[in-house]
Amino acid sequence: MPRLPHSLLQLASKKSPLLPLVLRGTRDLPSAINELRWLTEHVTATNPPCPRFARKRLLYLCKRRSRAEPLQYILGSQPFGELDIKCRPGVLIPRPETEAYTSHLAKLLINGELDEQFSLSSEEPVPPFPKAEWRGRSVEGKLRILDVCSGSGCISLLLHSLLSKSGRFPHIKTVGLDISPKAIALANENLFLAIQNKHIPSLHFQSQDVQLARALHPSSSPPAHLRGHKLLKFLASQKRKTEEKTQKLQLSGSNQPIHFAQHNIFSSLPKWAGDVDIIISNPPYISCSAFYTSTSRSVRKYEPRLALVPDRNDYGVDASNRISRFISRDGEESDIFYKRLLWLYKRGEASVLVMEVGGQEQALRVVGLALKKKQVAGRNRVEIWRDEPGVEAQDGEEQFVSVEGRVVPVRGAGKMRSVVLFRVSEMVDRKKEGVGEKKAKNGKGKVWNKELECWEEKNKESCWDVKRRKDQEKRRSRRQKKKARRRGEGIVGNASQ
Amino acid sequence: MFGSPWICRRCINTYLKPGKRRLLRFSSTISHGSFSPALLARARSMASEHDRLSKETSETFDAKVSRRIGELKSVAAALKEWEDTRNSLSELNTLLNDPTTDSELRELAIEDLATTASELDTLSRNLATSLTPKHPFEDLPCLLEIRPGVGGGEAGLFAGDLLRMYRAYCSRKNMRASLLKFETEDGGSDASGDSPLQEAILEIDVPGAYGKLRSEAGVHRVQRVPATENKGRTHTSAVAVLVLPSLPTSGTEGQEVWEADLKDPNSDYYVNPTDVRTDVMRARGAGGQHVNTTDSAVRLTHIPTNTVVSMQDSRSQHQNRERAWQLLRSKLAQARREAREEEVARLRRGVIGVAKMGRGDKVRTYNYGQQRVTDHRSGLSVHNLDDVMEGGDELDKIIDSVKTWLGEREIEGLLAEDETTAAANVTK
């Protein structure tokens, strides 16, 4: 880390005696000035009892900042789009790049540019889900989103609030998964905050209000001579506390539009995890060596390593693990999450997969991984988004890269920040057919078959029906031939004996 | 010996030098009586529109249309009267020119002719005023600001006199006037005392005050022997008077207009998003998870006009962006409004020629030596200075004359606009 020049420190101390302290944290004068202003605003906004105390507190905060503690941890929050996300040590701070691609995805969905991805699946039979409320498709405004490595919950919350505010998607269900219990707790707090600030509609908001009103004003008013009695007051406060508790419990319950759950995605996932419409993820992607060379001091010292560096040992990825079979040992260790995400995407029926990546090299590696899998390569449109996906590319930034003999468009301006896969409509058709047949063969897709039959009854004259009948006939004839052959063999065997 | 008698040098100089010319006024208060065809055509088209609209609304009622009818009504009525009178005048003329009319009838006709001609004059003036568009701020209360110009202490003293004059005028006209700001040169802030004035703002809180007093804006010149002068020389100093409409500060209606304007491509506040380049501070180095930056600065550049707005107050980039857009919109709207006003002013100045309406030229002279007040725009001179300075009837007379003059200028401006649009249509 280069030293700060004396002239700069002098310049800073002329402006404010606290500025050199902040400058030590930021290493940059304009942003130091801004941060000092925000710190001062924070101290005055929290209403200190006296000006002397306020000065002391400001000095304390500036000293913390001089040790490169992130401003977001000091102030306890970070604006993310229209939301304000709480931040706490132990959970990754939301980044502006994440905000950019999340809001871009929301914009695409709201403008209907991804409609073909979803509308096609609606014409097909609806596969059943373990959870009843997940039934139904996006065309009726239903959308299921899976946020892998949710952290502070910023992506889920922003996407949910933008989509629900647009009014195009009245029924959105979002699930966030993270390995860290701290992150899950914080995400739930953020959800509560967002609902309070009316960014996210709450399913139970009305009943909550009613309950709260009931708790505050007990319906049966006590007799006049007992009014103001201490015991009654105590009882009322107890009641209020329990009400608040139940309210919080309700929030974390699965009835809520957003549900955050602690889960290691390298352990076995529930079946429904693949059956979503959108998978979005900001996984740890910094390699071990890059962690010591290219990360900034505040990130290295204060932010959780678990959220930054994918370590096989941290996530229990080793040879003994059943899931590790899917993740080959070769390749960079920093890419293990992408392999898992691609596997999840391939297995399930999500139509969009958004993955944040660390830069150009990693983006190309991830695209390569995706294109290596034939099932993914043939049926998907692959794009790379830069830091600002909605902006036109600047000079000197190429708009296409070729990976594995395929030209991949690069959108926006800045550094390559995310890899996006869209399932192409015709391909979905073929894939589903394939999956259906496979399941039928394995005998596992009983429910699926039932659904299929129902659907076939409804439209008997469809071409699929004809095809299916032909297939059955073929299979039957094959079976008969086999039987005949076996019989023949048996006869031969008997004869030889 | 000499062919010509001796003449003193001074006389020769005055005789030969063309410098001192007789005062010629290029603008006059006399209305022309007959109209230019363009203006007449405009009046006729307005009248025909009025007829058409009133016919349409006889069955259905629409608030917008009826308001438009109200606007056109005065023009239509004035035009009708004017045309009737003109027809009668031409009839009288033919009667006079006809040799077969008997003498008795001829006398009657001659009598009638004189009255009809004068009637036509007033009617044409009426028509002209009804044709002039109403100033958009006519109905608003106004702020009258007085500042001394060149002339030092004497200008300040005269500024005080002017302030007294306007206050007297307002009280005579029953207009509520209150002093918003009063500063003298030695720092006093009470209206009494004789120290020179530095700045005074008079608020006239009556609807329509702007329409009454807007003609007062300009440089007022005074020629007198000041109280501070001990050698008895006449000084010329100037005082600037500014008249501003006081716009209502609150009101939900304005807010609605703002909201609606954002989506309307014709409005001043509309900015095409494709014309704007957004620059965001990006993290140096690898970005993403590698660094945690607090830079939230947003810079917007409107490419066609090269207007740059940057905003970094808030921690939220989202908020900064919104504020920057708001700022850019208002900046562009102001620039557009100014450009439009400049265009109109240029057009009118081209017609009006010498007479300028800005504060660059003096608009009125108060000559104490001759006890005379002359308005240079309308050309009206009044020889009762004391009455004027007390805000009496004479001041009223001057203000009215300026108003009619302003009305005529506006008509000329309208005519010029019509002609230019007609020319543009022809070239198309």
Side-chain angles (χ1 to χ4, degrees):
Chain A
M1 190 167 61
R3 266 180 187 226
L4 290 171
H6 273 264
S7 56
L8 188 65
L9 285 169
Q10 264 176 352
L11 195 71
S13 65
K14 257 183 211 164
K15 287 191 177 167
S16 160
L18 290 173
L19 206 51
L21 280 178
V22 184
L23 190 61
R24 263 194 251 166
T26 61
R27 326 296 297 174
D28 175 22
L29 191 60
S31 58
I33 292 170
N34 274 337
E35 288 197 4
L36 182 61
R37 197 181 68 233
W38 293 327
L39 283 168
T40 321
E41 276 168 13
H42 175 72
V43 170
T44 48
T46 44
N47 285 330
C50 66
R52 198 166 148 234
F53 181 81
R55 273 203 300 279
K56 265 191 169 176
R57 174 132 186 89
L58 184 60
L59 179 68
Y60 167 67
L61 296 185
C62 288
K63 275 186 178 164
R64 273 171 70 183
R65 184 71 188 114
S66 76
R67 279 176 236 124
E69 186 169 343
L71 185 79
Q72 291 91 337
Y73 286 158
I74 297 174
L75 300 183
S77 71
Q78 163 73 11
F80 192 76
E82 52 190 14
L83 305 173
D84 213 29
I85 300 285
K86 272 191 187 180
C87 293
R88 211 184 287 152
V91 185
L92 189 79
I93 297 165
R95 304 289 201 256
E97 290 91 350
T98 314
E99 180 190 326
Y101 70 74
T102 308
S103 41
H104 185 67
L105 178 69
K107 214 170 89 187
L108 288 184
L109 283 168
I110 291 165
N111 292 349
E113 286 171 49
L114 299 181
D115 272 0
E116 51 182 277
Q117 251 93 26
F118 297 116
S119 60
L120 189 109
S121 49
S122 74
E123 290 159 13
E124 298 190 351
V126 180
F129 299 107
K131 288 195 173 184
E133 75 262 24
W134 280 45
R135 213 182 288 254
R137 302 300 302 195
S138 56
V139 166
E140 309 145 35
K142 291 200 177 187
L143 203 62
R144 296 152 307 167
I145 303 165
L146 178 67
D147 178 8
V148 181
C149 304
S150 57
S152 56
C154 54
I155 297 179
S156 314
L157 293 169
L158 183 62
L159 205 55
H160 200 106
S161 102
L162 288 175
L163 292 179
S164 59
K165 269 179 191 168
S166 76
R168 261 199 91 192
F169 304 96
H171 308 290
I172 313 167
K173 177 84 190 165
T174 312
V175 172
L177 299 179
D178 203 292
I179 191 171
S180 154
K182 272 187 192 172
I184 294 302
L186 187 70
N188 276 326
E189 275 178 40
N190 277 325
L191 172 63
F192 188 63
L193 199 73
I195 290 177
Q196 265 188 339
N197 294 339
K198 309 261 163 106
H199 286 301
I200 290 174
S202 168
L203 295 180
H204 292 278
F205 212 73
Q206 229 175 3
S207 62
Q208 267 172 26
D209 276 357
V210 170
Q211 279 171 0
L212 202 68
R214 221 176 273 158
L216 291 174
H217 311 286
S219 52
S220 56
S221 56
H225 64 278
L226 284 180
R227 211 164 279 162
H229 198 275
K230 272 187 183 173
L231 184 66
L232 274 180
K233 274 186 186 171
F234 175 73
L235 282 177
S237 70
Q238 281 293 311
K239 200 177 176 188
R240 208 176 304 143
K241 271 183 191 167
T242 48
E243 291 280 353
E244 276 171 11
K245 259 187 196 169
T246 49
Q247 203 180 326
K248 279 201 173 172
L249 273 178
Q250 271 187 349
L251 271 182
S252 59
S254 60
N255 289 338
Q256 278 304 309
I258 303 184
H259 176 55
F260 292 106
Q262 190 195 341
H263 201 95
N264 181 1
I265 70 157
F266 290 102
S267 63
S268 59
L269 286 164
K271 267 186 188 171
W272 48 263
D275 299 337
V276 291
D277 296 311
I278 296 169
I279 302 177
I280 186 164
S281 176
N282 179 13
Y285 54 66
I286 301 175
S287 71
C288 232
S289 58
F291 181 70
Y292 291 109
T293 53
S294 71
T295 55
S296 72
R297 187 164 64 122
S298 65
V299 174
R300 212 158 47 237
K301 273 176 80 177
Y302 288 92
E303 291 202 76
R305 207 190 135 105
L306 189 69
L308 297 166
V309 183
D311 195 332
R312 281 176 208 268
N313 302 328
D314 289 347
Y315 289 93
V317 184
D318 48 41
S320 64
N321 195 326
R322 196 170 57 85
I323 298 315
S324 313
R325 280 183 292 137
F326 297 104
I327 295 144
S328 52
R329 287 302 255 174
D330 59 314
E332 297 268 339
E333 192 175 12
S334 56
D335 292 348
I336 53 172
F337 270 88
Y338 301 112
K339 289 173 187 165
R340 181 67 173 162
L341 284 167
L342 283 169
W343 177 82
L344 198 66
Y345 178 66
K346 189 189 78 185
R347 196 198 67 155
E349 49 192 57
S351 314
V352 181
L353 172 66
V354 184
M355 300 176 284
E356 184 170 329
V357 293
Q360 179 153 7
E361 289 169 25
Q362 195 163 30
L364 298 183
R365 277 206 306 271
V366 173
V367 172
L369 278 178
L371 294 182
K372 254 182 217 164
K373 300 194 174 177
K374 276 185 189 167
Q375 274 174 313
V376 177
R379 290 158 189 159
N380 279 287
R381 189 151 58 88
V382 184
E383 278 183 14
I384 297 175
W385 288 355
R386 291 182 186 275
D387 281 341
E388 298 278 321
V391 182
E392 274 182 36
Q394 286 168 358
D395 302 336
E397 289 176 346
E398 66 256 308
Q399 300 193 6
F400 294 98
V401 289
S402 94
V403 184
E404 303 248 332
R406 186 155 144 177
V407 178
V408 176
V410 184
R411 306 211 186 275
K415 297 194 181 63
M416 296 194 186
R417 189 52 58 204
S418 45
V419 173
V420 190
L421 272 72
F422 301 104
R423 197 149 284 181
V424 181
S425 45
E426 307 132 39
M427 307 293 186
V428 174
D429 211 341
R430 220 181 293 156
K431 188 198 166 173
K432 286 223 165 142
E433 212 172 293
V435 168
E437 275 179 13
K438 217 194 230 171
K439 278 187 179 172
K441 269 182 198 167
N442 293 343
K444 281 178 188 171
K446 271 180 195 166
V447 194
W448 166 268
N449 274 347
K450 226 181 236 174
E451 287 275 342
L452 207 63
E453 277 164 22
C454 289
W455 181 74
E456 274 172 3
E457 272 176 19
K458 271 178 205 164
N459 16 203
K460 273 185 176 165
E461 292 309 310
S462 73
C463 52
W464 201 5
D465 194 19
V466 175
K467 201 186 169 196
R468 195 176 157 75
R469 211 182 301 137
K470 276 183 186 171
D471 279 0
Q472 276 177 349
E473 279 171 11
K474 265 187 196 171
R475 240 175 272 157
R476 208 174 292 149
S477 63
R478 236 179 267 158
R479 245 178 259 155
Q480 281 172 354
K481 274 181 190 170
K482 264 188 189 173
K483 272 183 188 173
R485 223 181 287 155
R486 260 184 219 155
R487 247 179 249 150
E489 279 171 6
I491 291 162
V492 173
N494 284 341
S496 67
Q497 273 177 0
Chain B
M1 266 173 90
F2 296 106
S4 60
W6 179 87
I7 306 169
C8 79
R9 167 168 290 184
R10 207 170 169 183
C11 294
I12 288 182
N13 280 350
T14 47
Y15 184 69
L16 292 177
K17 266 191 188 168
K20 281 188 182 171
R21 282 203 191 126
R22 231 182 74 228
L23 179 72
L24 286 175
R25 278 200 303 106
F26 293 103
S27 49
S28 81
T29 49
I30 301 161
S31 78
H32 308 296
S34 65
F35 279 104
S36 79
L39 197 62
L40 209 58
R42 188 184 160 86
R44 288 213 170 106
S45 75
M46 280 167 102
S48 69
E49 191 186 350
H50 173 254
D51 290 347
R52 188 173 52 80
L53 285 178
S54 51
K55 216 176 267 174
E56 275 175 15
T57 45
S58 57
E59 285 130 31
T60 57
F61 179 78
D62 186 9
K64 231 182 208 174
V65 174
S66 57
R67 199 182 301 151
R68 177 77 184 146
I69 288 174
E71 280 169 14
L72 295 173
K73 203 175 179 179
S74 62
V75 177
L79 183 73
K80 196 164 174 284
E81 274 182 47
W82 183 80
E83 278 182 339
D84 287 348
T85 328
R86 209 183 54 154
N87 287 343
S88 62
L89 193 71
S90 61
E91 254 176 47
L92 285 172
N93 274 330
T94 48
L95 209 66
L96 282 175
N97 292 340
D98 197 1
T100 54
T101 44
D102 56 68
S103 59
E104 216 173 290
L105 208 59
R106 194 177 286 262
E107 271 174 31
L108 280 175
I110 288 169
E111 265 177 37
D112 265 1
L113 192 67
T115 53
T116 321
S118 67
E119 216 173 276
L120 187 68
D121 217 35
T122 54
L123 281 177
S124 58
R125 206 171 298 148
N126 279 352
L127 182 56
T129 47
S130 68
L131 269 177
T132 41
K134 215 175 144 199
H135 195 276
F137 300 139
E138 198 111 296
D139 293 333
L140 292 174
C142 76
L143 298 173
L144 193 123
E145 195 179 326
I146 301 174
R147 289 165 182 275
V150 285
E154 155 66 0
L157 287 176
F158 183 65
D161 289 344
L162 273 189
L163 178 66
R164 225 162 293 135
M165 176 181 95
Y166 284 121
R167 290 184 85 174
Y169 177 75
C170 288
S171 70
R172 201 174 60 82
K173 286 273 175 186
N174 286 331
M175 295 196 287
R176 204 167 46 254
S178 53
L179 210 54
L180 276 191
K181 190 179 179 187
F182 184 86
E183 268 180 23
T184 51
E185 250 167 40
D186 43 4
S189 59
D190 53 331
S192 64
D194 281 337
S195 59
L197 185 83
Q198 198 158 38
E199 190 187 358
I201 299 176
L202 198 66
E203 186 188 23
I204 298 143
D205 192 19
V206 177
Y210 182 73
K212 273 180 189 152
L213 287 173
R214 81 189 158 104
S215 56
E216 293 304 291
V219 174
H220 293 233
R221 185 172 70 163
V222 62
Q223 291 169 325
R224 66 176 174 185
V225 183
T228 51
E229 171 68 40
N230 45 18
K231 286 177 188 161
R233 292 173 295 195
T234 303
H235 284 212
T236 302
S237 5
V239 172
V241 175
L242 291 164
V243 183
L244 305 165
S246 72
L247 298 164
T249 47
S250 65
T252 50
E253 207 183 324
Q255 201 63 37
E256 278 168 28
V257 167
W258 166 261
E259 285 295 320
D261 277 355
L262 295 185
K263 273 141 203 149
D264 177 21
N266 296 323
S267 107
D268 281 348
Y269 289 99
Y270 177 78
V271 179
N272 192 354
T274 52
D275 288 346
V276 179
R277 197 182 68 220
T278 313
D279 293 314
V280 181
M281 280 292 190
R282 280 203 205 92
R284 285 155 298 175
Q289 290 175 1
H290 297 87
V291 290
N292 92 55
T293 166
T294 52
D295 276 330
S296 57
V298 171
R299 191 177 59 198
L300 299 181
T301 314
H302 189 246
I303 297 161
T305 58
N306 206 16
T307 313
V308 181
V309 173
S310 66
M311 188 61 73
Q312 56 172 11
D313 287 353
S314 166
R315 283 178 66 211
S316 162
Q317 208 176 67
H318 183 74
Q319 245 174 49
N320 278 340
R321 195 180 304 244
E322 266 173 19
R323 280 187 204 162
W325 265 99
Q326 204 174 333
L327 195 66
L328 183 74
R329 274 201 196 99
S330 52
K331 257 192 175 180
L332 288 177
Q334 195 182 350
R336 279 177 201 163
R337 213 161 32 224
E338 273 170 12
R340 205 171 48 224
E341 273 164 16
E342 178 64 28
E343 172 68 18
V344 170
R346 194 185 54 74
L347 205 65
R348 293 198 175 174
R349 212 173 289 143
V351 178
I352 295 157
V354 208
K356 278 183 188 164
M357 289 159 70
R359 52 178 286 209
D361 281 15
K362 60 186 183 294
V363 296
R364 198 177 289 166
T365 299
Y366 301 77
N367 193 318
Y368 278 69
Q370 299 168 11
Q371 287 288 303
R372 166 180 66 86
V373 179
T374 304
D375 197 283
H376 301 288
R377 296 167 296 184
S378 64
L380 185 73
S381 283
V382 174
H383 289 277
N384 193 351
L385 182 80
D386 290 337
D387 191 41
V388 171
M389 293 314 286
E390 278 157 23
D393 288 330
E394 297 289 314
L395 182 61
D396 239 358
K397 222 195 265 177
I398 295 174
I399 289 177
D400 283 342
S401 76
V402 177
K403 241 189 237 165
T404 45
W405 177 85
L406 270 178
E408 276 164 22
R409 289 290 82 74
E410 266 163 26
I411 291 171
E412 274 181 42
L414 274 180
L415 272 178
E417 272 172 36
D418 280 356
E419 275 166 23
T420 47
T421 48
N425 286 338
V426 167
T427 49
K428 267 176 196 172

